[in-house]
Structure formats: structure tokens, C-alpha cells
Amino acid sequence: MDFIIHEYIKIIENYLRGIFADDGQTNLVSAMNYSLLAGGKRIRPMLTLMCCEALGINKEYALPLAAAVEMVHTYSLIHDDLPAMDNDELRRGVPTCHKQFDEATAILAGDGLLTYAFEHISKSYLSDNQKVKAISALSGAAGPKGMILGQVLDMNLSPKTEYDILNMYKSKTGELLNAAAALGAIAADGDGNEFLEYSSCIGTAFQIKDDILDIEGSEEKLGKPVGSDDKNKKNTIVNFIGIDRSKKLVDEYTKRAIEFSHSLGERGKLFVCLAEMLLLRNN
Ligand code: IPE
Ligand code: IPE
Ligand code: MG
Ligand code: MG
Ligand code: MG
């Protein structure tokens, strides 16, 4: 299965490299490409391609949507790292965008990636109906009722209970993973909800694991700082239920995602593989 994942990543990387290839070397283009092409696990675009293929359509058809969700995700990382937010200096193994360039450029590079994601969908070969559904799914997930709301809750340190924390994770991280899966389904003319159980389970598991890695991980492997949450006095699930129970929760959500994968038959094997990879990841 690993070589299949490798093949997906290769297709995604190739496609991403082409996005701004004809746009010259302005400071803005350099900054957008710097963050977009710095690596990263590419989980969201991978999920998009997987969901498209699982509904019987060639995964490459979903590439414009996969790239759009990765552009939105990369913008969210650039802004998340800014001094006014988490104030971090390392991302994807290289200095954060505002460190490599400057703060204004990083803000604008984030803005550029966010808006271009939608321009890219609108100019793609997808049908008008697919475009509208895709733009609606992605903007809803990224917007003030989705990821932005989650980031507001995270910044205000407002979650006070385990329930609040999990809700905050659903907004800041889960929604974009749900959108990634929905986009793949939309490319295959599905309704977008086919993989919601899977994406929401791995979404919650993913953020809990991120918080655990912020404590137990290594900066070298993660390519981003450890101890960022502690530095910023963030309320994470680990503060509420401890590290052992947090790990159990990651196991439980992963198990649920794997159970769902089994319902997909042969096509579910890659879904099992991705869920296990995310459970065991150290980056
Ligand atoms: C980091 O996402 C931000 C979170 C939602 C926890 P990833 O861990 O997917 O970051 P990259 O894309 O691999 O850099
Ligand atoms: C970020 O959560 C979620 C986003 C929407 C970017 P974190 O702040 O925990 O992500 P990292 O640890 O910086 O990647
Ligand atoms: Mg943050
Ligand atoms: Mg952060
Ligand atoms: Mg984190």
C-alpha cells in the first residue's frame, strides 16, 4: 500500500508545482510557492483523490479540487504561524513564511493562496454544477463557520471542557478534512457526504495526535517547533484528560475510521492504510 500512497503524493506534488509555474518570479509568487512546495504530508489532497477514485472515477480528475484544498490549508498554516497568532518560526522543515520573507509578504501570500484556490476551481474543466458544489463545500469549511471559527476559539483560549475542545478541533481541523473528502466525491458526481464518517473521525484523531506530538514529538521529524501550545498557553485535550487518555482517544477515532473503511470493500484498503499511517505518524 505504501507505494500506492507514494504514487498519489507524486501526482499531487507534480500538479502543485505547475500551479504558479507561468506566473514569473515576483516576491508574492516566490512566497506562495515557498510555502506550498515546501513539502507537507499532503493528507487533504490525498483524501480528495482517494474519495474520487473510491466512487469509480479516475483520481486525476479531482486534481484541481485536491490542489485547491491544499492551497487553503497552506494559507491557514502561513497565517497560523504569524506573530499575532502562534508566533512560530519553523514550518515544513524550513523557516516560516514571515521569517523567510516578511510579515506583510506572508499575510499577502496567505491571502493569495486562499483566493486563488477558488479561482483555480472556477477555471477548471469541472462541470458548472461540480464547481458550485465544490466552491460551496470548500468556502463553508474554511470560512467563519468552519476553520476560521475554530481558529478564533483557539486564539481566545475559550474552550473550557473536553466537549468544547473537541468542538474546537472539529472546526479548526475537522472541517477542512471533511471538505477534502467531499471534494473528491463531488468530482465523481457524488453528493459529498459519502465519506463524512471517515473524514470526521480522522480529523479529530489528527488534531489530538498533533497536540500529543507538540509535547512528545521531535522538531527535526515534525519540521515545526515542539512546545508551541505550551508557549502560547493553549488549552488542548491533553491538558484536560492527560496524555494516556488522549492517545486512547486517537485509537478510538482511528478504529471507527477503519470500521467505516471496511464498508467500502476492496476500495477501502487504502482508507485503512491512511488511517493507520496517521495513527502512527511522527511528523
Ligand atoms: C498541520 O497540518 C495543522 C493542523 C491542522 C494540525 P498538517 O500536519 O497536515 O501539516 P502539513 O501539511 O503536513 O505540513
Ligand atoms: C492549526 O492548529 C490548525 C489550523 C487551522 C492551521 P495548530 O496551531 O495546532 O497547528 P500547528 O501545530 O501549528 O501545525
Ligand atoms: Mg494554531
Ligand atoms: Mg500553530
Ligand atoms: Mg499544533
Side-chain angles (χ1 to χ4, degrees), residues 60-87:
E60 302 202 21
Y61 187 73
L63 272 169
L65 304 184
V69 72
E70 186 66 14
M71 282 190 267
V72 170
H73 168 60
T74 304
Y75 124 76
S76 81
L77 299 179
I78 295 174
H79 283 196
D80 180 76
D81 289 332
L82 286 168
M85 295 194 68
D86 293 351
N87 193 21

PDB file of all heavy atoms in Angstrom, residues 60-87:
ATOM      1  N   GLU A  60      -7.213  11.417 -11.071  1.00  0.00           N
ATOM      2  CA  GLU A  60      -6.608  12.639 -11.623  1.00  0.00           C
ATOM      3  C   GLU A  60      -7.657  13.687 -11.991  1.00  0.00           C
ATOM      4  O   GLU A  60      -7.356  14.874 -12.075  1.00  0.00           O
ATOM      5  CB  GLU A  60      -5.717  12.294 -12.818  1.00  0.00           C
ATOM      6  CG  GLU A  60      -4.641  11.320 -12.378  1.00  0.00           C
ATOM      7  CD  GLU A  60      -3.418  11.283 -13.259  1.00  0.00           C
ATOM      8  OE1 GLU A  60      -3.186  12.251 -13.998  1.00  0.00           O
ATOM      9  OE2 GLU A  60      -2.692  10.277 -13.177  1.00  0.00           O
ATOM     10  N   TYR A  61      -8.876  13.231 -12.184  1.00  0.00           N
ATOM     11  CA  TYR A  61      -9.950  14.167 -12.494  1.00  0.00           C
ATOM     12  C   TYR A  61     -10.177  15.157 -11.336  1.00  0.00           C
ATOM     13  O   TYR A  61     -10.579  16.298 -11.538  1.00  0.00           O
ATOM     14  CB  TYR A  61     -11.243  13.393 -12.800  1.00  0.00           C
ATOM     15  CG  TYR A  61     -12.358  14.280 -13.297  1.00  0.00           C
ATOM     16  CD1 TYR A  61     -12.311  14.821 -14.590  1.00  0.00           C
ATOM     17  CD2 TYR A  61     -13.440  14.613 -12.486  1.00  0.00           C
ATOM     18  CE1 TYR A  61     -13.312  15.660 -15.040  1.00  0.00           C
ATOM     19  CE2 TYR A  61     -14.445  15.454 -12.925  1.00  0.00           C
ATOM     20  CZ  TYR A  61     -14.377  15.971 -14.211  1.00  0.00           C
ATOM     21  OH  TYR A  61     -15.357  16.814 -14.653  1.00  0.00           O
ATOM     22  N   ALA A  62      -9.884  14.702 -10.114  1.00  0.00           N
ATOM     23  CA  ALA A  62     -10.132  15.544  -8.930  1.00  0.00           C
ATOM     24  C   ALA A  62      -8.953  16.462  -8.600  1.00  0.00           C
ATOM     25  O   ALA A  62      -9.005  17.204  -7.606  1.00  0.00           O
ATOM     26  CB  ALA A  62     -10.460  14.658  -7.730  1.00  0.00           C
ATOM     27  N   LEU A  63      -7.893  16.447  -9.430  1.00  0.00           N
ATOM     28  CA  LEU A  63      -6.685  17.210  -9.078  1.00  0.00           C
ATOM     29  C   LEU A  63      -6.911  18.716  -8.834  1.00  0.00           C
ATOM     30  O   LEU A  63      -6.342  19.266  -7.893  1.00  0.00           O
ATOM     31  CB  LEU A  63      -5.599  16.993 -10.135  1.00  0.00           C
ATOM     32  CG  LEU A  63      -4.698  15.767  -9.874  1.00  0.00           C
ATOM     33  CD1 LEU A  63      -3.831  15.474 -11.087  1.00  0.00           C
ATOM     34  CD2 LEU A  63      -3.820  15.978  -8.642  1.00  0.00           C
ATOM     35  N   PRO A  64      -7.719  19.407  -9.661  1.00  0.00           N
ATOM     36  CA  PRO A  64      -7.903  20.838  -9.370  1.00  0.00           C
ATOM     37  C   PRO A  64      -8.511  21.073  -7.979  1.00  0.00           C
ATOM     38  O   PRO A  64      -8.161  22.049  -7.297  1.00  0.00           O
ATOM     39  CB  PRO A  64      -8.870  21.305 -10.468  1.00  0.00           C
ATOM     40  CG  PRO A  64      -8.721  20.301 -11.560  1.00  0.00           C
ATOM     41  CD  PRO A  64      -8.405  18.998 -10.898  1.00  0.00           C
ATOM     42  N   LEU A  65      -9.378  20.163  -7.554  1.00  0.00           N
ATOM     43  CA  LEU A  65     -10.007  20.310  -6.235  1.00  0.00           C
ATOM     44  C   LEU A  65      -9.025  19.927  -5.125  1.00  0.00           C
ATOM     45  O   LEU A  65      -8.985  20.562  -4.063  1.00  0.00           O
ATOM     46  CB  LEU A  65     -11.274  19.456  -6.148  1.00  0.00           C
ATOM     47  CG  LEU A  65     -12.340  19.720  -7.219  1.00  0.00           C
ATOM     48  CD1 LEU A  65     -13.586  18.881  -6.967  1.00  0.00           C
ATOM     49  CD2 LEU A  65     -12.717  21.205  -7.246  1.00  0.00           C
ATOM     50  N   ALA A  66      -8.227  18.907  -5.393  1.00  0.00           N
ATOM     51  CA  ALA A  66      -7.210  18.498  -4.414  1.00  0.00           C
ATOM     52  C   ALA A  66      -6.210  19.638  -4.194  1.00  0.00           C
ATOM     53  O   ALA A  66      -5.820  19.942  -3.066  1.00  0.00           O
ATOM     54  CB  ALA A  66      -6.485  17.246  -4.922  1.00  0.00           C
ATOM     55  N   ALA A  67      -5.819  20.279  -5.298  1.00  0.00           N
ATOM     56  CA  ALA A  67      -4.865  21.385  -5.189  1.00  0.00           C
ATOM     57  C   ALA A  67      -5.499  22.561  -4.440  1.00  0.00           C
ATOM     58  O   ALA A  67      -4.848  23.231  -3.635  1.00  0.00           O
ATOM     59  CB  ALA A  67      -4.423  21.830  -6.586  1.00  0.00           C
ATOM     60  N   ALA A  68      -6.781  22.788  -4.697  1.00  0.00           N
ATOM     61  CA  ALA A  68      -7.464  23.913  -4.030  1.00  0.00           C
ATOM     62  C   ALA A  68      -7.474  23.706  -2.519  1.00  0.00           C
ATOM     63  O   ALA A  68      -7.184  24.641  -1.755  1.00  0.00           O
ATOM     64  CB  ALA A  68      -8.888  24.057  -4.572  1.00  0.00           C
ATOM     65  N   VAL A  69      -7.765  22.516  -2.065  1.00  0.00           N
ATOM     66  CA  VAL A  69      -7.825  22.299  -0.613  1.00  0.00           C
ATOM     67  C   VAL A  69      -6.418  22.409  -0.012  1.00  0.00           C
ATOM     68  O   VAL A  69      -6.239  22.937   1.090  1.00  0.00           O
ATOM     69  CB  VAL A  69      -8.552  20.974  -0.231  1.00  0.00           C
ATOM     70  CG1 VAL A  69      -7.752  19.735  -0.536  1.00  0.00           C
ATOM     71  CG2 VAL A  69      -8.944  20.979   1.233  1.00  0.00           C
ATOM     72  N   GLU A  70      -5.407  21.991  -0.756  1.00  0.00           N
ATOM     73  CA  GLU A  70      -4.036  22.133  -0.237  1.00  0.00           C
ATOM     74  C   GLU A  70      -3.612  23.614  -0.204  1.00  0.00           C
ATOM     75  O   GLU A  70      -2.874  24.032   0.694  1.00  0.00           O
ATOM     76  CB  GLU A  70      -3.058  21.287  -1.069  1.00  0.00           C
ATOM     77  CG  GLU A  70      -1.629  21.250  -0.541  1.00  0.00           C
ATOM     78  CD  GLU A  70      -1.450  20.559   0.819  1.00  0.00           C
ATOM     79  OE1 GLU A  70      -2.378  19.859   1.289  1.00  0.00           O
ATOM     80  OE2 GLU A  70      -0.380  20.743   1.431  1.00  0.00           O
ATOM     81  N   MET A  71      -4.079  24.401  -1.164  1.00  0.00           N
ATOM     82  CA  MET A  71      -3.760  25.846  -1.127  1.00  0.00           C
ATOM     83  C   MET A  71      -4.415  26.506   0.088  1.00  0.00           C
ATOM     84  O   MET A  71      -3.791  27.323   0.779  1.00  0.00           O
ATOM     85  CB  MET A  71      -4.221  26.526  -2.422  1.00  0.00           C
ATOM     86  CG  MET A  71      -3.273  26.278  -3.584  1.00  0.00           C
ATOM     87  SD  MET A  71      -3.658  27.308  -5.029  1.00  0.00           S
ATOM     88  CE  MET A  71      -4.715  26.217  -5.947  1.00  0.00           C
ATOM     89  N   VAL A  72      -5.670  26.144   0.344  1.00  0.00           N
ATOM     90  CA  VAL A  72      -6.361  26.711   1.517  1.00  0.00           C
ATOM     91  C   VAL A  72      -5.649  26.274   2.798  1.00  0.00           C
ATOM     92  O   VAL A  72      -5.420  27.073   3.712  1.00  0.00           O
ATOM     93  CB  VAL A  72      -7.851  26.300   1.531  1.00  0.00           C
ATOM     94  CG1 VAL A  72      -8.507  26.677   2.848  1.00  0.00           C
ATOM     95  CG2 VAL A  72      -8.594  26.941   0.363  1.00  0.00           C
ATOM     96  N   HIS A  73      -5.273  25.005   2.853  1.00  0.00           N
ATOM     97  CA  HIS A  73      -4.568  24.502   4.036  1.00  0.00           C
ATOM     98  C   HIS A  73      -3.235  25.245   4.229  1.00  0.00           C
ATOM     99  O   HIS A  73      -2.900  25.676   5.342  1.00  0.00           O
ATOM    100  CB  HIS A  73      -4.343  22.998   3.877  1.00  0.00           C
ATOM    101  CG  HIS A  73      -3.397  22.403   4.857  1.00  0.00           C
ATOM    102  ND1 HIS A  73      -3.609  22.452   6.226  1.00  0.00           N
ATOM    103  CD2 HIS A  73      -2.207  21.743   4.690  1.00  0.00           C
ATOM    104  CE1 HIS A  73      -2.595  21.850   6.845  1.00  0.00           C
ATOM    105  NE2 HIS A  73      -1.739  21.423   5.939  1.00  0.00           N
ATOM    106  N   THR A  74      -2.493  25.433   3.144  1.00  0.00           N
ATOM    107  CA  THR A  74      -1.181  26.096   3.255  1.00  0.00           C
ATOM    108  C   THR A  74      -1.344  27.542   3.709  1.00  0.00           C
ATOM    109  O   THR A  74      -0.575  28.034   4.540  1.00  0.00           O
ATOM    110  CB  THR A  74      -0.429  26.032   1.910  1.00  0.00           C
ATOM    111  OG1 THR A  74      -0.326  24.663   1.503  1.00  0.00           O
ATOM    112  CG2 THR A  74       0.963  26.623   2.015  1.00  0.00           C
ATOM    113  N   TYR A  75      -2.362  28.209   3.173  1.00  0.00           N
ATOM    114  CA  TYR A  75      -2.640  29.575   3.652  1.00  0.00           C
ATOM    115  C   TYR A  75      -2.894  29.557   5.157  1.00  0.00           C
ATOM    116  O   TYR A  75      -2.410  30.414   5.900  1.00  0.00           O
ATOM    117  CB  TYR A  75      -3.840  30.178   2.885  1.00  0.00           C
ATOM    118  CG  TYR A  75      -4.975  30.659   3.755  1.00  0.00           C
ATOM    119  CD1 TYR A  75      -4.886  31.863   4.470  1.00  0.00           C
ATOM    120  CD2 TYR A  75      -6.125  29.893   3.916  1.00  0.00           C
ATOM    121  CE1 TYR A  75      -5.912  32.276   5.310  1.00  0.00           C
ATOM    122  CE2 TYR A  75      -7.153  30.296   4.749  1.00  0.00           C
ATOM    123  CZ  TYR A  75      -7.042  31.482   5.446  1.00  0.00           C
ATOM    124  OH  TYR A  75      -8.039  31.879   6.282  1.00  0.00           O
ATOM    125  N   SER A  76      -3.671  28.554   5.621  1.00  0.00           N
ATOM    126  CA  SER A  76      -4.021  28.529   7.051  1.00  0.00           C
ATOM    127  C   SER A  76      -2.764  28.340   7.904  1.00  0.00           C
ATOM    128  O   SER A  76      -2.672  28.881   9.003  1.00  0.00           O
ATOM    129  CB  SER A  76      -5.062  27.447   7.348  1.00  0.00           C
ATOM    130  OG  SER A  76      -4.471  26.167   7.478  1.00  0.00           O
ATOM    131  N   LEU A  77      -1.805  27.595   7.388  1.00  0.00           N
ATOM    132  CA  LEU A  77      -0.549  27.391   8.142  1.00  0.00           C
ATOM    133  C   LEU A  77       0.267  28.686   8.180  1.00  0.00           C
ATOM    134  O   LEU A  77       0.826  29.050   9.218  1.00  0.00           O
ATOM    135  CB  LEU A  77       0.287  26.271   7.503  1.00  0.00           C
ATOM    136  CG  LEU A  77      -0.348  24.878   7.451  1.00  0.00           C
ATOM    137  CD1 LEU A  77       0.604  23.890   6.764  1.00  0.00           C
ATOM    138  CD2 LEU A  77      -0.720  24.380   8.836  1.00  0.00           C
ATOM    139  N   ILE A  78       0.347  29.378   7.038  1.00  0.00           N
ATOM    140  CA  ILE A  78       1.123  30.636   6.986  1.00  0.00           C
ATOM    141  C   ILE A  78       0.562  31.628   8.006  1.00  0.00           C
ATOM    142  O   ILE A  78       1.310  32.238   8.783  1.00  0.00           O
ATOM    143  CB  ILE A  78       1.083  31.260   5.572  1.00  0.00           C
ATOM    144  CG1 ILE A  78       1.774  30.347   4.561  1.00  0.00           C
ATOM    145  CG2 ILE A  78       1.739  32.645   5.570  1.00  0.00           C
ATOM    146  CD1 ILE A  78       1.659  30.820   3.103  1.00  0.00           C
ATOM    147  N   HIS A  79      -0.758  31.757   8.024  1.00  0.00           N
ATOM    148  CA  HIS A  79      -1.362  32.719   8.954  1.00  0.00           C
ATOM    149  C   HIS A  79      -1.292  32.218  10.404  1.00  0.00           C
ATOM    150  O   HIS A  79      -1.086  33.001  11.327  1.00  0.00           O
ATOM    151  CB  HIS A  79      -2.807  33.028   8.538  1.00  0.00           C
ATOM    152  CG  HIS A  79      -2.883  33.974   7.371  1.00  0.00           C
ATOM    153  ND1 HIS A  79      -4.028  34.647   7.012  1.00  0.00           N
ATOM    154  CD2 HIS A  79      -1.939  34.383   6.477  1.00  0.00           C
ATOM    155  CE1 HIS A  79      -3.792  35.414   5.958  1.00  0.00           C
ATOM    156  NE2 HIS A  79      -2.535  35.258   5.600  1.00  0.00           N
ATOM    157  N   ASP A  80      -1.441  30.921  10.592  1.00  0.00           N
ATOM    158  CA  ASP A  80      -1.371  30.337  11.942  1.00  0.00           C
ATOM    159  C   ASP A  80      -0.004  30.593  12.593  1.00  0.00           C
ATOM    160  O   ASP A  80       0.095  30.743  13.817  1.00  0.00           O
ATOM    161  CB  ASP A  80      -1.628  28.822  11.834  1.00  0.00           C
ATOM    162  CG  ASP A  80      -1.592  28.102  13.162  1.00  0.00           C
ATOM    163  OD1 ASP A  80      -2.564  28.223  13.923  1.00  0.00           O
ATOM    164  OD2 ASP A  80      -0.575  27.426  13.455  1.00  0.00           O
ATOM    165  N   ASP A  81       1.039  30.660  11.771  1.00  0.00           N
ATOM    166  CA  ASP A  81       2.400  30.844  12.294  1.00  0.00           C
ATOM    167  C   ASP A  81       2.758  32.305  12.573  1.00  0.00           C
ATOM    168  O   ASP A  81       3.799  32.581  13.184  1.00  0.00           O
ATOM    169  CB  ASP A  81       3.422  30.302  11.275  1.00  0.00           C
ATOM    170  CG  ASP A  81       3.399  28.780  11.181  1.00  0.00           C
ATOM    171  OD1 ASP A  81       3.050  28.130  12.182  1.00  0.00           O
ATOM    172  OD2 ASP A  81       3.735  28.259  10.095  1.00  0.00           O
ATOM    173  N   LEU A  82       1.936  33.238  12.121  1.00  0.00           N
ATOM    174  CA  LEU A  82       2.284  34.662  12.246  1.00  0.00           C
ATOM    175  C   LEU A  82       2.467  35.081  13.712  1.00  0.00           C
ATOM    176  O   LEU A  82       1.862  34.488  14.614  1.00  0.00           O
ATOM    177  CB  LEU A  82       1.173  35.524  11.619  1.00  0.00           C
ATOM    178  CG  LEU A  82       1.119  35.528  10.090  1.00  0.00           C
ATOM    179  CD1 LEU A  82      -0.194  36.158   9.621  1.00  0.00           C
ATOM    180  CD2 LEU A  82       2.315  36.273   9.494  1.00  0.00           C
ATOM    181  N   PRO A  83       3.271  36.110  13.948  1.00  0.00           N
ATOM    182  CA  PRO A  83       3.481  36.587  15.326  1.00  0.00           C
ATOM    183  C   PRO A  83       2.181  36.867  16.076  1.00  0.00           C
ATOM    184  O   PRO A  83       2.089  36.607  17.275  1.00  0.00           O
ATOM    185  CB  PRO A  83       4.294  37.871  15.124  1.00  0.00           C
ATOM    186  CG  PRO A  83       5.042  37.628  13.861  1.00  0.00           C
ATOM    187  CD  PRO A  83       4.106  36.828  12.983  1.00  0.00           C
ATOM    188  N   ALA A  84       1.165  37.362  15.379  1.00  0.00           N
ATOM    189  CA  ALA A  84      -0.098  37.668  16.064  1.00  0.00           C
ATOM    190  C   ALA A  84      -0.884  36.406  16.412  1.00  0.00           C
ATOM    191  O   ALA A  84      -1.829  36.455  17.201  1.00  0.00           O
ATOM    192  CB  ALA A  84      -0.969  38.569  15.191  1.00  0.00           C
ATOM    193  N   MET A  85      -0.483  35.298  15.824  1.00  0.00           N
ATOM    194  CA  MET A  85      -1.178  34.040  16.145  1.00  0.00           C
ATOM    195  C   MET A  85      -0.251  33.135  16.967  1.00  0.00           C
ATOM    196  O   MET A  85       0.004  33.449  18.108  1.00  0.00           O
ATOM    197  CB  MET A  85      -1.721  33.409  14.869  1.00  0.00           C
ATOM    198  CG  MET A  85      -2.797  34.335  14.262  1.00  0.00           C
ATOM    199  SD  MET A  85      -3.838  33.629  12.990  1.00  0.00           S
ATOM    200  CE  MET A  85      -4.796  32.415  13.865  1.00  0.00           C
ATOM    201  N   ASP A  86       0.278  32.046  16.381  1.00  0.00           N
ATOM    202  CA  ASP A  86       1.102  31.145  17.212  1.00  0.00           C
ATOM    203  C   ASP A  86       2.573  31.560  17.305  1.00  0.00           C
ATOM    204  O   ASP A  86       3.335  30.993  18.095  1.00  0.00           O
ATOM    205  CB  ASP A  86       1.006  29.700  16.696  1.00  0.00           C
ATOM    206  CG  ASP A  86      -0.380  29.111  16.889  1.00  0.00           C
ATOM    207  OD1 ASP A  86      -1.210  29.758  17.566  1.00  0.00           O
ATOM    208  OD2 ASP A  86      -0.650  28.021  16.360  1.00  0.00           O
ATOM    209  N   ASN A  87       2.953  32.509  16.485  1.00  0.00           N
ATOM    210  CA  ASN A  87       4.318  33.051  16.524  1.00  0.00           C
ATOM    211  C   ASN A  87       5.379  31.953  16.467  1.00  0.00           C
ATOM    212  O   ASN A  87       6.210  31.837  17.364  1.00  0.00           O
ATOM    213  CB  ASN A  87       4.486  33.913  17.795  1.00  0.00           C
ATOM    214  CG  ASN A  87       5.752  34.746  17.741  1.00  0.00           C
ATOM    215  OD1 ASN A  87       6.292  34.989  16.658  1.00  0.00           O
ATOM    216  ND2 ASN A  87       6.224  35.188  18.897  1.00  0.00           N
TER     217      ASN A  87
END
